[in-house]
Amino acid sequence: MEPKYKRVLLKLSGESLAGEKKSGIDFDTVLKICEPIKKCVDAGVEVAIVVGGGNFWRGRSSGKMDRTRADHMGMLATAINALGVCDALEQLGVDTRVQTAISMREIAEPYIRGKAIRHLEKGRVVVFGCGTGNPFFSTDSAASLRAAEIEADIILKATMVDGVYDCDPKINDDAVKYDTLSFGEVVEKQLKVMDGTAATMCRENDIPILVFSIERPMNIYDAVLGENIGTLVN
Ligand code: GTP
């Protein structure tokens, strides 16, 4: 089957890398997530990744720290995750590059759009670390920014839920999942697909978002094939 997309931006939450441990990195889990990514690359799809950092750091939400400093710590957490994901991909034989929005040249390349695109064209997976490099922006915003910059066809948002619901499915048994949504509906119904900044960025740049569960990692490959999973926002 032919992949539906040529270039995708995969957003991985930090929690997804922790597996059963719920925090830190569970390397077997990371390897399982990287298997479908390898399948995508083998099928000729260009894959860029933005990772969150919530498996290491959620200091922002405590309200007990200076917001900027807490966000800097979160950015470092995403850099750790980016290195972990790259290591797993390399173990599976996938060529990778890490690029960080905050310069840490001894560890990774700095983010340079042109180089990122060249890497993708050469079949390398590029993992973007440190979010946007700015406090007050989420890694969802980083995903939408990088997706716009590299002209990705879609953002694949792999999360802990299997799509977007009309209310919280963890609290309400009768929550209904949407198959498709417009950005207008997301705003109107105040659905939590991404934060407002990220959603606006996607809407203004015509970047669709597919929200799906990472509990079945092969969903990543199914998403790239255009199979009917999760919730598509466009
Ligand atoms: P092309 O040769 O252009 O296809 O890409 P390349 O990434 O292989 O070339 P380059 O010579 O830029 O990089 C060679 C290796 O050095 C790669 O593993 C890069 O990730 C790494 N590298 C390049 N720039 C930096 C940097 O600023 N910091 C770090 N830590 N590594 C870098």
Side-chain angles (χ1 to χ4, degrees), residues 5-212:
Y5 306 105
K6 176 86 185 73
R7 180 177 291 164
V8 300
L9 188 300
L10 173 65
K11 164 73 204 303
L12 290 174
S13 68
E15 294 111 301
S16 70
L17 309 181
E20 298 289 304
K21 298 197 308 187
K22 304 282 181 213
S23 72
I25 290 181
D26 177 59
F27 205 73
D28 291 333
T29 301
V30 182
L31 278 169
K32 282 199 191 97
I33 291 172
C34 287
E35 278 164 15
I37 299 174
K38 176 180 163 54
K39 272 180 81 100
C40 296
V41 174
D42 289 346
V45 179
E46 297 175 11
V47 183
I49 301 175
V50 167
V51 272
N55 52 327
F56 284 116
W57 181 245
R58 289 223 163 268
R60 168 198 277 192
S61 54
S62 74
K64 291 181 183 170
M65 272 189 77
D66 173 67
R67 168 71 187 263
T68 299
R69 191 172 289 119
D71 281 355
H72 283 156
M73 291 167 73
M75 289 180 226
L76 293 174
T78 71
I80 297 174
N81 285 337
L83 295 171
V85 169
C86 274
D87 198 89
L89 285 167
E90 297 267 347
Q91 287 192 25
L92 297 174
V94 179
D95 218 357
T96 67
R97 296 289 185 269
V98 180
Q99 291 198 341
T100 54
I102 290 175
S103 186
M104 43 179 82
R105 291 200 82 139
E106 288 78 4
I107 294 175
E109 293 181 23
Y111 171 66
I112 298 169
R113 174 183 180 256
K115 277 198 74 130
I117 289 173
R118 285 296 287 140
H119 290 321
L120 292 170
E121 287 169 350
K122 289 182 180 178
R124 296 168 184 150
V125 171
V126 183
V127 187
F128 298 119
C130 298
T132 67
N134 297 291
F136 295 93
F137 289 92
S138 65
T139 46
D140 276 353
S141 293
S144 55
L145 174 65
R146 294 294 182 245
E149 286 186 278
I150 65 167
E151 296 174 26
D153 302 323
I154 188 167
I155 294 177
L156 305 178
K157 184 173 153 97
T159 65
M160 311 310 275
V161 284
D162 65 347
V164 182
Y165 285 79
D166 60 348
C167 53
D168 191 341
K170 285 183 194 141
I171 301 169
N172 297 293
D173 287 341
D174 46 6
V176 178
K177 181 164 82 74
Y178 295 102
D179 288 333
T180 57
L181 278 168
S182 68
F183 282 107
E185 285 171 306
V186 169
V187 175
E188 186 194 319
K189 299 183 204 292
Q190 300 188 330
L191 301 170
K192 292 192 183 72
V193 176
M194 292 178 136
D195 60 82
T197 311
T200 304
M201 184 87 194
C202 288
R203 187 181 57 201
E204 289 183 354
N205 294 286
D206 276 332
I207 307 168
I209 310 164
L210 182 69
V211 182
F212 60 94

